[in-house]
């Protein structure tokens, strides 16, 4: 492309943005709104996923030991379980602690009532790397000698696994749906703005402009409009999300919210790229019909 | 550029037969008037010549190239060598008078300097030097027509297609424009002009092609608007 | 309808003084030609008369009502009594020829029967009875102009504003249209016609108002296109 | 309005819908997409709210009785608590049952180990009408004679109340945001379609049409486009939602999903009304600029 053509494209784009000011505004708004919805949905899905992982990683296996085990044997069992693949941590709740837990809040002295003999077993709490391993691990722990009973709330674990599975699936579907919706909405708007200028395109062709000569300014314009919309959306999503996280982390300290700089940067990048891409492609595709003269 | 129409017919999609078996040869450098009643098919011939429309039958050739077979990608290059004065002006509404005319130069990749020289020159030829920064909606009908004329000739085209170029102009301005076209013609440009301006056709005594209901009825060197018979 | 312009000036927002201190009285039933070079201000006077534009200074009165003071809500009623032939036709692109003409009747709440009678009648008056179902883009320039004329007169308006009504018509058709307007005028309709058609003005010998650069230069009963001096 | 005018409006609207077919399609799609997003968001928020209520209503107060209470006294206390305002249910877990629960899964005989004496207290489980009442109720139950200790997981209840509070709040904000976004998106599209026809409006005015004469067909058209979009959206949301509920209720039986005919009817009604309203108002408002000639 020659220098004077380049000059033309840049000047043309700038002029067009100004002269079709309110159509530009319409495109920018549509891009911005679509991406805002998409952006918030992304943070929501990501956080839900994280929450799901969090819940899953909190599933525990309770291992009750036989009451005849010596502290040494208990330690041995603990070490053996810790060595198993997929085990994240194993913590011991000694029988004395267990009794103290029951005792707390009750006025009558339990130990005395029991005739000084603690009937409770030692208990090992096993945490796993992922919820899916719980079942197998429990089966492996069961036969260890000295282990009396293994419990992991069989019903609940299945429920949680199913729930988080579905949550991830629905989240993905949601993002897919919204992404398609955004693209369609933005294309419609751009198509309408190009449509409003179809006569211009026709005239340009009649005067001898090649398709690319007409396309470039539209392409650039679409890209700039898309970028502007995406910038607006990014600003709002980042500001809104970090604000929300700040509030929620004060009030809902127990819910883990993603707040890493990396995550937010990726989000912004994704939005900017989509905005520019949909904008420029939208312009190009919409133009095609009207170039056929 | 020379033009050759061989048994050309044009039937519009709705069934109107706008051109019926028309044959015509126009040599390089000729000045041809197309005359005929409203709806006779004058604009249709012009539209065929810059490939706005394609012939339904027959052959339209410009400089030996058959337009029916021209690839879409080559059409812009065809049009760049043709200056077209449209019956309905077809100005870009979002561009000023200057930019409308400059556009025809930008399309062929003219340099900024060339544009800066040629556009004001041609605007003063059509008497619009003072309206360069106006937009089409801010112009009178005749002024818009003159912008269209300026755009058509700024590029030194080898063929000018003029569809009713004086329809919105007073007699004096019309003659100015005619002189402009005659000058261009003298420099070797072929000119095909559809018109209803009896005075002009009668006094210039150029070749006249008269049409009626899609047919070429008469083709006279040094003819007049009405039949000489 | 009678028209009274008193010291009217029109300056467009961009500073162009299109009309300067113009005074003019046109009585009911008169036929007035507005002539003058391109950009003289003919269309501007017409635009003032149907309130497309408002006068910057002075008074525009129609039937004794000052248009400057007319409430926006009353403007449609003013326009319904005026048939306007626009220089650029202004046809509705999504309506057929028939529907474009019918629209002017629908606007005044005409009955379906009235529409069914009047529209074909007026279309045959302008020679377009066969193109009733065509769309404007499927018409030649002159045909579009005639649709505009048909729409302007279908309503039996008491004032017809014609801006260059024969600009795209061949001489024969032009005369048909002129006869149509003369007929309407005979029935008492006031007609103001801006035109460049020297032949027509010179042979009809009606009142001629000549303009130059926004000023009224000459106002002659039974005048000609050029000055009689 | 006269009969012929009415005829005109209806015919005009029908013609316009056909002749501006693809602009109509654009409007319908935008309305549909916006309302689909809004509709799904509504079901999501409603379900989350329901889930929140569900979680809250599952918060329990555990009341441990002194071990010296006779079964009669226990019944009396139970009756007394049941009589308190805000109490939904009170269930008794007798000391024998409690011991049996601990015993289950352990091979050694607890009762024997304990010397035949059950040291566990009777326990009443109190459910309340709403989570907010738990604190006060616990305070009221505490002083009853025969009650040894009252526990309700003080920390957890606060967390849950906070969580559900925020969930409701965010849900509301989400719906608000999406509603505004939908309205803006739809208005933009309609505005662009009206913009593409501004010349027509101008010509109509020049020929003497009153504002209302021009408005009616646009109004009707906008309403029909809005309704079509809303119908499409309703169909998709209802179909999608009931389908999802069917799948989830098989797989996530423990999550209560709203599936009442009433809820779905209200949703559809809301969407249809919004569609028609935004469509017609959008047309009217957009037209205003262009009527000023
Ligand atoms: N796109 C179209 N579709 C259908 N019919 C058309 C189309 N364009 C022109 N016509 C018809 O073809 C015929 C010739 O049209 P054309 O524009 O060539 O006439 P013309 O000689 O230029 O007339 P005028 O002097 O009025 O401009 C007319 O009857 C017209 O109605
Ligand atoms: N909307 C506008 N804004 C600015 N200037 C305008 C506008 N409309 C017309 N003019 C200017 O006002 C002057 C008179 O215009 P008008 O349309 O009245 O001329 P006219 O006599 O009808 O000419 P023609 O015969 O060419 O149609 C012209 O110089 C034109 O440039
Ligand atoms: Mg023509
Ligand atoms: Mg004019």
């Amino acid at each position: 492309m020659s220098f004077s053509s380049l000059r033309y494209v840049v000047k043309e784009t700038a002029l067009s943005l100004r002269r079709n000011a309110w159509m530009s505004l319409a495109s920018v708004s549509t891009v911005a709104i679509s991406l805002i919805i998409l952006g918030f949905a992304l943070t929501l899905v990501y956080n839900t996923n994280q929450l799901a992982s969090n819940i899953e990683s909190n599933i525990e296996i309770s291992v009750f030991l036989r009451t005849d085990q010596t502290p040494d044997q208990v330690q041995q069992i603990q070490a053996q379980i810790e060595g198993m693949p997929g085990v994240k941590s194993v913590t011991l709740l000694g029988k004395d602690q267990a009794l103290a837990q029951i005792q707390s809040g009750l006025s009558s002295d339990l130990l005395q009532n029991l005739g000084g003999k603690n009937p409770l077993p030692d208990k090992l709490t096993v945490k796993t790397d992922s919820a899916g391993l719980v079942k197998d691990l429990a089966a492996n722990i069961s036969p260890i000698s000295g282990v009396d009973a293994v419990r992991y709330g069989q019903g609940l674990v299945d429920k949680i696994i199913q729930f988080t599975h579905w949550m991830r699936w629905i989240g993905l579907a949601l993002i897919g749906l919204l992404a398609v919706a955004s693209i369609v909405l933005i294309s419609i708007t751009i198509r309408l703005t190009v449509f409003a200028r179809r006569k211009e395109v026709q005239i340009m062709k009649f005067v001898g402009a090649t398709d690319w000569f007409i396309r470039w300014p539209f392409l650039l314009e679409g890209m700039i409009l898309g970028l502007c919309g995406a910038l607006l959306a990014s600003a709002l999503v980042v500001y809104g999300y970090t604000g929300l996280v700040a509030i929620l982390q004060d009030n809902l300290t127990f819910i883990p919210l993603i707040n890493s700089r990396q995550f937010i940067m990726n989000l912004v990048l994704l939005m900017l790229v989509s905005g520019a891409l949909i904008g420029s492609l939208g312009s190009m595709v919409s133009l095609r019909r009207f170039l056929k003269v | 550029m020379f033009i050759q129409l061989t048994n050309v017919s044009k039937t519009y999609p709705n069934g109107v037969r706008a051109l019926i078996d028309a044959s015509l040869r126009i040599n390089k450098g000729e000045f041809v008037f197309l005359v005929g009643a409203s709806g006779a098919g004058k604009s249709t011939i012009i539209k065929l010549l810059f490939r706005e429309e394609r012939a339904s039958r027959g052959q339209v050739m410009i400089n030996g190239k058959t337009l029916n077979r021209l690839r879409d990608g080559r059409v812009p290059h065809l049009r760049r060598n043709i200056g077209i004065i449209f019956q309905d002006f077809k100005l870009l509404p979002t561009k000023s008078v200057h930019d409308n005319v400059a556009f025809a130069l930008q399309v062929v990749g003219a340099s900024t300097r060339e544009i800066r020289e040629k556009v004001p020159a041609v605007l003063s030829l059509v008497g619009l030097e003072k309206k360069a920064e106006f937009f089409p909606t801010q112009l009178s009908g005749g002024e818009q027509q003159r912008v269209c004329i300026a755009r058509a000739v700024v590029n030194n085209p080898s063929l000018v297609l003029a569809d009713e170029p004086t329809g919105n102009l007073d007699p004096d301005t019309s003659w100015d424009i005619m002189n402009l076209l005659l000058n261009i013609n003298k420099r070797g440009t072929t000119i095909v002009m559809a018109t209803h301006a009896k005075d002009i056709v009668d006094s210039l005594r150029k070749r006249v092609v008269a049409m009626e209901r899609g047919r070429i009825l008469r083709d006279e060197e040094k003819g007049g608007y009405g039949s000489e018979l």
Side-chain angles (χ1 to χ4, degrees), chain A, chain B:
Chain A
M1 204 191 280
S2 75
F3 173 72
S4 87
S5 292
L6 195 73
R7 222 180 100 108
Y8 162 79
V9 169
V10 172
K11 206 180 130 208
E12 189 61 14
T13 309
L15 276 179
S16 172
L17 284 171
R18 233 180 43 211
R19 285 198 188 134
N20 304 294
W22 95 256
M23 286 203 296
S24 306
L25 194 73
S27 309
V28 171
S29 312
T30 305
V31 175
I33 290 174
S34 305
L35 290 183
I36 286 171
I37 295 175
L38 196 61
F40 275 121
L42 267 171
T43 64
L44 185 74
V45 169
Y46 262 79
N47 275 302
T48 326
N49 266 357
Q50 161 133 332
L51 189 65
S53 307
N54 223 292
I55 292 174
E56 285 186 348
S57 72
N58 272 328
I59 296 176
E60 303 169 340
I61 305 174
S62 297
V63 180
F64 295 97
L65 303 185
R66 286 220 307 274
T67 42
D68 58 5
Q69 300 292 305
T70 64
D72 261 10
Q73 283 173 312
V74 170
Q75 260 190 358
Q76 241 176 9
I77 296 174
Q78 184 170 4
Q80 191 180 350
I81 296 176
E82 272 168 351
M84 289 178 164
V87 170
K88 203 160 70 185
S89 69
V90 182
T91 39
L92 173 68
L93 183 74
K95 54 181 107 182
D96 303 335
Q97 285 164 280
L99 190 70
Q101 274 188 4
I102 298 181
Q103 171 70 56
S104 87
L106 299 176
S107 57
S108 52
D109 188 339
L110 260 180
L111 196 59
Q112 214 172 32
N113 289 348
L114 295 168
K117 245 181 80 185
N118 183 349
L120 296 173
D122 289 316
K123 176 180 156 198
L124 291 172
T125 301
V126 180
K127 291 196 174 184
T128 62
D129 287 339
S130 95
L133 300 170
V134 168
K135 219 167 189 163
D136 290 350
L137 262 178
N140 287 341
I141 292 170
S142 225
I144 296 175
S145 92
V147 170
D148 188 5
V150 176
R151 277 198 231 144
Y152 60 87
Q154 281 76 345
L156 189 68
V157 171
D158 283 354
K159 277 183 191 173
I160 288 176
I161 291 178
Q162 274 174 22
F163 181 68
T164 53
H165 166 81
W166 279 101
M167 226 148 76
R168 289 202 173 101
W169 202 92
I170 292 175
L172 220 74
L174 182 75
I175 293 297
L177 183 86
L178 287 178
V180 170
S182 305
I183 292 175
V184 173
L185 283 176
I186 296 172
S187 313
I188 286 177
T189 314
I190 291 179
R191 191 166 278 246
L192 281 171
T193 63
V194 172
F195 182 76
R197 297 170 64 190
R198 67 195 180 285
K199 282 256 169 66
E200 278 180 66
V201 173
Q202 191 200 41
I203 295 172
M204 289 177 177
K205 283 226 69 175
F206 281 172
V207 177
T210 56
D211 289 356
W212 273 107
F213 192 79
I214 299 172
R215 253 183 223 132
W216 272 114
F218 275 93
L219 191 83
L220 207 64
E221 193 181 337
M223 191 185 289
I224 290 176
L225 293 177
L227 264 180
C228 286
L231 270 173
L232 213 72
S234 300
L236 251 146
V237 169
V238 169
Y239 188 81
Y241 180 67
T242 50
L244 199 67
V245 166
I247 295 176
L248 289 186
Q249 275 184 336
D250 284 352
N251 292 285
L252 293 176
T253 31
F254 47 94
I255 303 278
L257 288 166
I258 306 175
N259 198 12
S260 76
R261 191 170 286 270
Q262 189 58 42
F263 172 71
I264 289 172
M265 295 272 277
N266 283 346
L267 191 69
V268 168
L269 202 70
L270 182 73
M271 287 169 76
L272 291 184
V273 169
S274 341
L277 223 64
I278 308 179
S280 42
L281 284 183
S283 276
M284 287 261 303
V285 173
S286 315
L287 209 52
R288 226 175 29 189
R289 286 181 52 190
F290 306 122
L291 283 175
K292 295 221 182 269
V293 282
Chain B
M1 283 207 186
F2 72 90
I3 295 166
Q4 174 94 51
L5 272 68
T6 323
N7 303 320
V8 174
S9 293
K10 172 69 191 176
T11 308
Y12 282 106
N14 64 349
V16 174
R17 300 176 70 192
L19 211 59
I20 302 166
D21 204 28
S23 294
L24 186 67
R25 186 187 162 89
I26 297 172
N27 290 317
K28 186 169 155 22
E30 264 195 290
F31 195 123
V32 179
F33 285 118
L34 278 179
V35 303
S38 171
K42 306 179 294 297
S43 298
T44 300
I45 286 193
I46 286 180
K47 284 175 186 169
L48 289 174
L49 291 177
F50 71 95
R51 250 284 295 266
E52 178 180 346
E53 299 285 349
R54 285 169 196 249
S56 314
R57 252 186 304 152
Q59 235 185 10
V60 179
M61 294 214 303
I62 287 191
N63 268 353
K65 282 197 196 108
T66 307
L67 295 198
N68 279 50
R69 289 210 216 100
L70 200 66
R71 281 191 301 111
D72 279 349
R74 299 300 302 168
V75 171
H77 301 275
L78 167 75
R79 289 178 184 161
R80 286 173 191 186
N81 285 316
I82 305 179
I84 312 165
I85 302 168
F86 298 94
Q87 195 166 9
D88 55 355
F89 316 151
K90 295 205 191 293
L91 301 177
L92 294 165
T94 54
K95 283 185 187 296
S96 69
V97 166
H98 175 280
D99 291 353
N100 259 286
V101 177
F103 188 76
L105 289 172
Q106 283 161 336
V107 153
V108 296
S111 70
T112 314
R113 196 175 133 191
E114 216 178 326
I115 291 172
R116 216 176 291 147
E117 279 170 11
K118 284 191 175 171
V119 176
V122 76
L123 281 181
S124 80
L125 270 183
V126 298
L128 286 178
E129 60 276 24
K130 287 188 188 144
K131 310 248 161 170
E133 294 314 317
F134 283 37
F135 287 88
T137 48
Q138 301 173 331
L139 297 179
S140 80
E143 288 163 348
Q144 289 179 44
Q145 189 155 43
R146 284 179 279 159
V147 178
C148 183
I149 294 167
R151 181 181 62 187
V153 303
V154 70
N155 213 1
N156 285 326
S158 32
L159 169 64
V160 170
L161 302 174
D163 199 351
E164 204 77 60
T166 60
N168 285 275
L169 298 176
D170 56 288
D172 289 352
T173 315
S174 295
W175 275 111
D176 291 347
I177 295 301
M178 284 319 296
N179 287 327
L180 175 65
L181 290 179
L182 288 169
N183 261 326
I184 293 173
N185 178 239
K186 266 192 207 122
R187 283 189 249 141
T189 300
T190 315
I191 294 187
V192 178
M193 169 167 161
T195 188
H196 296 307
K198 190 171 181 310
D199 302 2
I200 292 174
V201 177
D202 282 343
S203 56
L204 282 184
R205 292 283 140 191
K206 296 279 182 184
R207 179 171 168 198
V208 174
V209 174
M211 304 187 60
E212 197 182 280
R213 288 196 218 124
R215 289 180 204 276
I216 293 179
L217 209 67
R218 178 163 60 90
D219 186 348
E220 282 177 316
E221 292 298 328
K222 307 203 176 176
Y225 187 92
S227 173
E228 300 291 282
L229 307 175

